[in-house]
Amino acid sequence: MKKEILKLRGVKVHFPVQAGVFNRVVGHVLAVDGVDLDIFRGEVLGLAGESGCGKTTLGKAILRLVEPTDGEVKYISKDDNETELTSLEKKDMDPFRKKLQIVFQDPHSSLNPSFTIFGSLQDPLKKFGIKSKEERRKIIGDLLEAVNMRREYMDRYPHEFSGGQRQRIGIVRALCLEPELIVCDEAVSALDVSIQAQVLKLLMQLKKEKNLTYLFITHDLSVTEYLCDRIAVMYLGRIVELCDSEDLYNNTLHPYSEALISAIPVADLDKQTKRIVLEGDVPSPVNPPKGCPFHPRCPKATDICKTEVPTLKKYSTNGNEHYASCHLIDLPEIS
Amino acid sequence: MAKSSLDKKFDQIRKREEEKTFSTKKRSRIVNKFLNNRLAVLGLIIFTIIILASIFAPLLSPYDPMRVDLRSMRQPPSFDHWFGTDSTGRDVFTRVLFGGRVSIFIGLGSAILSAVVGIAVGCYAGYKGGWIDVIALRISEIFMSFPQIILVLLLVSITGQSLFNLMAIFILTGWGGMYRLARARMLSLREEEYVQALRSFGLSTFTICYKHMLPNALSPIMVNITLSTAMFILTEAGLSFLGLGVPLNIPTWGNILNVAQDILILQNYWWMWGPVGIVISVFVLCVNFIGDGLRDSTDPSQQG
Ligand SMILES: Nc1ncnc2c1ncn2[C@@H]1O[C@H](COP(=O)(O)OP(=O)(O)OP(=O)(O)O)[C@@H](O)[C@H]1O
Ligand code: SF4
Ligand SMILES: [Mg+2]
């Protein structure tokens, strides 16, 4: 039986847009606009979508690095205790900060240039009760070895490391309090392809060893198929399709996912499908289009798409649950 | 157990990493760059000499800077009196040394104290944002828009001239610049991912902004401290020359220069104001060279 670790219900993150001399609020960026999502223990959930669709913001909202404007983030512990995170006081959040961690995208800004690796990693350990310095050094040293680096590296400064090494140090940081869920925010996008593969393998290896759950954010659907158990596709702050990763590629339901998948370069010539080119840019999340947010760019759009907002409905493909939000799906909806 | 191909690959990478000679520490790179800047080094040397000479003034000069000696009034420079004597027979060289103590103390002290105030407020407000930031910003604008000279006149007429008042005024008018600098740095630093990572551990605001972020904001602040030191020394000299600065009985560079108000002295006794004027200029120039050198060597966009 699959058990949830996180349940998101109606999560919204709206950033105020200020203008003028008095910084009046003239509108809101609807970065995340009503996301319902369950993440199961031990799975790798991919979160895909174009740049600016709110993936990072959603990841940060889970950790409360940005405060959600609305909605609930529930954490379910191993013994089935449910806690709503967004309404917690700052200090009550601490036990959950241990469980939820994040690996960032940019290896150049992810480490503090003024501190050695040990220097910048030791404060979190101290805060969470590891009082002796020897113990802290041991934990960090062991983790460095777990990501195939040498213990001694903990006394070096970030500028002495390459991008791939820095990213592995970022992984060490995320692992140092033995978390249960790690948000990998485009953790490999900034690296060379060969190094990407190594870091990805390392992540998967660590997942197995430490029973981790990943929320794997990416804008590149070509890597997700092999890594992720399920994939959620986001567009303008909403989830438009959510299903097992195989089904996303073989039984695509949403036109936006189709377009993303067709953009993946294929090596096999016979398999080459027609590429669907999306016209125009992602609309501004300040004024999302009426009706289906995707309709100005959707090749299949009809009149109903311009007026009515499609909701995320449950279907079944291949015997698996498959969620999608589009008016033109002719599968029976299941409840 | 056989090693997986992944392990082997990592071993190879590791070997390559070890072979690579790691670049020298960041600190020494900054020092090296600073030392390559000849003007900055020259500035630092002269700066150090002047400061040491002021500190060890009693060892360098047999005279008392305050003692009136009516037998040797207005003597031109000689072997006994290197910079000559003034209208009451005090040795000018000794007064320049002792005056340096007070002037440098005022300049450096005001610069450092206003930096401390500016950084303390700016780091917190810049990192936290919100109403604290808005209020601090407005207050700094009020102080910065006040002409210094009017503040000085105000305070002098209320509380009288004193060294303490002068420094208080310098700090009041000076912290705003430092605050803005620190704030601006923090605004850009707080989006850095390592800050987000620290926040994801729930570390306290104080630990994050003063311990982890501040070191990365320091280099422009250091540059600004040197430049403000120079500015404060000049302002002190200017105010004291006008008789508004430090009380006249305390020797400072500005107070020594004060005698040049007298047209007779200005025309006939160049040694009473000339050497001290040169010392002020040289010192300020040196401090500026040091500031430029610091800026160039810590500027990350010019790392060579
Ligand atoms: N602090 C903020 N203030 C205002 N707007 C923001 C803020 N952070 C993000 N946004 C806006 O929210 C939207 C979503 O941003 P987000 O970074 O989550 O996108 P993303 O999907 O992660 O994109 P990318 O693939 O480029 O990382 C963007 O339009 C962005 O401009
Ligand atoms: S609802 Fe209409 S516009 Fe939206 S994705 Fe489906 S077909 Fe396209
Ligand atoms: Mg992002």
Side-chain angles (χ1 to χ4, degrees):
Chain A
M1 188 52 206
K2 289 196 289 187
K3 278 211 276 185
E4 290 99 346
I5 180 167
L6 275 183
K7 281 190 203 169
L8 315 191
R9 289 292 173 268
V11 174
K12 292 184 182 170
V13 182
H14 294 178
F15 296 109
V17 182
Q18 295 174 329
V21 193
F22 298 105
N23 282 338
R24 258 183 328 127
V25 176
V26 293
H28 285 92
V29 181
L30 312 182
V32 176
D33 198 23
V35 165
D36 297 329
L37 187 64
D38 291 345
I39 304 176
F40 297 105
R41 259 180 204 281
E43 77 168 340
V44 181
L45 174 61
L47 185 61
E50 277 166 294
S51 191
C53 68
K55 307 180 297 285
T56 301
T57 310
L58 181 61
K60 286 184 176 171
I62 292 174
L63 303 178
R64 280 185 72 189
L65 289 177
V66 297
E67 293 293 333
T69 322
D70 195 16
E72 294 181 339
V73 177
K74 284 186 194 142
Y75 167 81
I76 297 112
S77 69
K78 276 186 186 137
D79 41 12
D80 292 325
N81 280 329
E82 240 182 61
T83 320
E84 212 285 300
L85 299 182
T86 57
S87 56
L88 287 180
E89 289 290 317
K90 263 218 155 73
K91 59 178 189 323
D92 296 333
M93 188 70 195
D94 283 349
F96 304 99
R97 297 214 178 269
K98 245 182 105 156
K99 315 264 188 207
L100 311 173
Q101 270 301 317
I102 182 163
V103 175
F104 290 99
Q105 169 172 10
D106 179 7
H108 292 285
S109 90
S110 67
L111 298 174
N112 191 338
S114 301
F115 287 82
T116 60
I117 304 311
F118 178 71
S120 52
L121 290 191
Q122 69 161 337
D123 276 354
L125 290 174
K126 244 192 242 170
K127 175 182 166 144
F128 284 95
I130 295 153
K131 294 277 182 278
S132 86
K133 191 174 174 190
E134 278 65 49
E135 221 174 316
R136 292 197 293 270
R137 290 186 73 85
K138 180 170 179 331
I139 291 174
I140 295 170
D142 288 350
L143 281 172
L144 279 172
E145 285 185 348
V147 300
N148 292 295
M149 292 174 76
R150 299 195 342 177
R151 308 184 87 83
E152 300 85 79
Y153 287 5
M154 76 172 95
D155 293 317
R156 298 206 169 146
Y157 286 88
H159 72 94
E160 300 174 42
F161 296 106
S162 67
Q165 289 177 314
R166 283 159 181 246
Q167 208 57 317
R168 281 185 268 154
I169 294 167
I171 294 170
V172 167
R173 174 172 57 203
L175 288 173
C176 71
L177 293 172
E178 299 175 352
E180 294 172 1
L181 177 133
I182 298 182
V183 176
C184 301
D185 186 2
E186 316 215 14
V188 296
S189 313
L191 306 177
D192 288 347
V193 178
S194 61
I195 299 180
Q196 268 189 14
Q198 281 153 9
V199 175
L200 285 177
K201 271 192 187 160
L202 177 68
L203 278 171
M204 290 307 138
Q205 197 184 318
L206 289 167
K207 172 186 177 296
K208 236 189 260 161
E209 284 167 17
K210 300 180 188 284
N211 292 322
L212 298 169
T213 308
Y214 287 149
L215 176 61
F216 198 89
I217 298 177
T218 174
H219 60 250
D220 180 4
L221 272 179
S222 61
V223 271
T224 41
E225 184 177 2
Y226 308 100
L227 295 175
C228 302
D229 302 311
R230 292 190 305 151
I231 297 179
V233 179
M234 250 181 120
Y235 187 74
L236 278 187
R238 293 178 206 195
I239 289 181
V240 295
E241 185 159 7
L242 168 66
C243 58
D244 281 16
S245 54
E246 248 172 69
D247 290 327
L248 184 75
Y249 295 91
N250 301 331
N251 303 305
T252 321
L253 292 185
H254 198 280
Y256 178 60
S257 314
E258 253 170 53
L260 287 186
I261 291 168
S262 77
I264 303 173
V266 191
D268 188 348
L269 276 182
D270 300 332
K271 263 177 126 183
Q272 189 79 44
T273 47
K274 191 156 179 287
R275 183 160 173 195
I276 306 168
V277 180
L278 287 177
E279 278 169 25
D281 287 327
V282 185
S284 143
V286 182
N287 289 309
K290 299 236 161 27
C292 174
F294 187 49
H295 86 256
R297 302 168 77 199
C298 180
K300 295 184 180 167
T302 57
D303 284 344
I304 185 176
C305 305
K306 290 180 186 141
T307 51
E308 270 182 52
V309 186
T311 51
L312 198 62
K313 290 187 187 128
K314 192 172 178 182
Y315 305 94
S316 171
T317 53
N318 247 343
N320 300 320
E321 288 178 353
H322 194 145
Y323 298 84
S325 69
C326 172
H327 292 304
L328 302 191
I329 298 171
D330 49 0
L331 285 175
E333 188 186 343
I334 55 176
S335 52
Chain B
M1 206 179 84
K3 272 192 169 181
S4 73
S5 66
L6 175 68
D7 282 340
K8 269 185 219 139
K9 222 176 222 161
F10 268 121
D11 284 345
Q12 281 171 9
I13 295 177
R14 201 190 264 186
K15 212 189 272 159
R16 252 182 284 147
E17 280 164 1
E18 280 159 25
E19 280 163 7
K20 181 183 148 200
T21 45
F22 277 90
S23 57
T24 48
K25 289 249 160 68
K26 184 178 181 189
R27 211 148 306 206
S28 69
R29 191 170 60 199
I30 289 175
V31 172
N32 278 342
K33 257 193 113 177
F34 187 85
L35 292 181
N36 278 339
N37 184 335
R38 288 213 193 123
L39 275 182
V41 174
L42 183 73
L44 191 64
I45 291 171
I46 300 178
F47 175 86
T48 319
I49 291 175
I50 294 181
I51 286 195
L52 287 179
S54 298
I55 292 174
F56 296 111
L59 302 179
L60 293 179
S61 152
Y63 300 99
D64 179 338
M66 317 288 268
R67 221 198 71 200
V68 175
D69 180 1
L70 294 178
R71 273 170 304 168
S72 49
M73 270 164 41
R74 298 183 179 175
Q75 287 180 359
S78 64
F79 192 72
D80 282 342
H81 301 286
W82 290 2
F83 290 176
T85 59
D86 68 3
S87 310
T88 50
R90 298 173 296 194
D91 180 56
V92 177
F93 179 69
T94 313
R95 284 177 66 75
V96 170
L97 290 184
F98 280 88
R101 285 180 162 189
V102 183
S103 286
I104 296 171
F105 174 75
I106 291 176
L108 210 57
S110 311
I112 290 174
L113 283 176
S114 48
V116 168
V117 176
I119 290 169
V121 182
C123 276
Y124 195 81
Y127 174 68
K128 266 285 180 192
W131 59 269
I132 297 178
D133 189 35
V134 174
I135 292 175
L137 197 62
R138 293 293 165 263
I139 296 178
S140 81
E141 274 165 3
I142 291 171
F143 279 115
M144 285 169 78
S145 61
F146 243 106
Q148 229 171 24
I149 192 110
I150 295 186
L151 261 182
V152 175
L153 283 172
L154 255 169
L155 252 152
V156 166
S157 61
I158 298 170
T159 59
Q161 260 172 295
S162 83
L163 202 142
F164 173 78
N165 283 351
L166 195 69
M167 282 184 75
I169 291 163
F170 284 166
I171 294 166
L172 274 181
T173 52
W175 74 275
M178 300 286 192
Y179 157 78
R180 287 169 159 253
L181 204 65
R183 173 182 179 271
R185 279 298 287 157
M186 294 311 258
L187 279 181
S188 68
L189 284 179
R190 77 175 179 193
E191 299 303 326
E192 299 264 311
E193 287 172 352
Y194 67 85
V195 178
Q196 302 285 327
L198 292 169
R199 293 213 303 138
S200 79
F201 290 113
L203 290 186
S204 73
T205 305
F206 269 68
T207 317
I208 294 180
C209 75
Y210 291 119
K211 180 173 174 191
H212 288 264
M213 291 169 77
L214 182 57
N216 297 313
L218 271 186
S219 57
I221 293 173
M222 294 290 286
V223 174
N224 206 332
I225 288 179
T226 58
L227 300 183
S228 317
T229 304
M231 194 192 71
F232 287 143
I233 286 178
L234 282 180
T235 315
E236 183 274 327
L239 287 172
S240 298
F241 177 76
L242 296 176
L244 293 170
V246 181
L248 263 180
N249 57 348
I250 304 174
T252 71
W253 287 345
N255 280 342
I256 300 170
L257 211 53
N258 186 280
V259 296
Q261 277 184 341
D262 188 336
I263 191 74
L264 195 77
I265 290 176
L266 191 63
Q267 283 177 341
N268 301 327
Y269 307 107
W270 59 267
W271 61 87
M272 288 190 204
W273 50 267
V276 73
I278 292 172
V279 169
I280 294 175
S281 305
V282 167
F283 188 80
V284 166
L285 212 58
C286 288
V287 172
N288 279 321
F289 286 156
I290 296 173
D292 284 346
L294 272 181
R295 176 167 42 219
D296 292 347
S297 59
T298 54
D299 184 352
S301 66
Q302 297 187 12
Q303 260 164 25

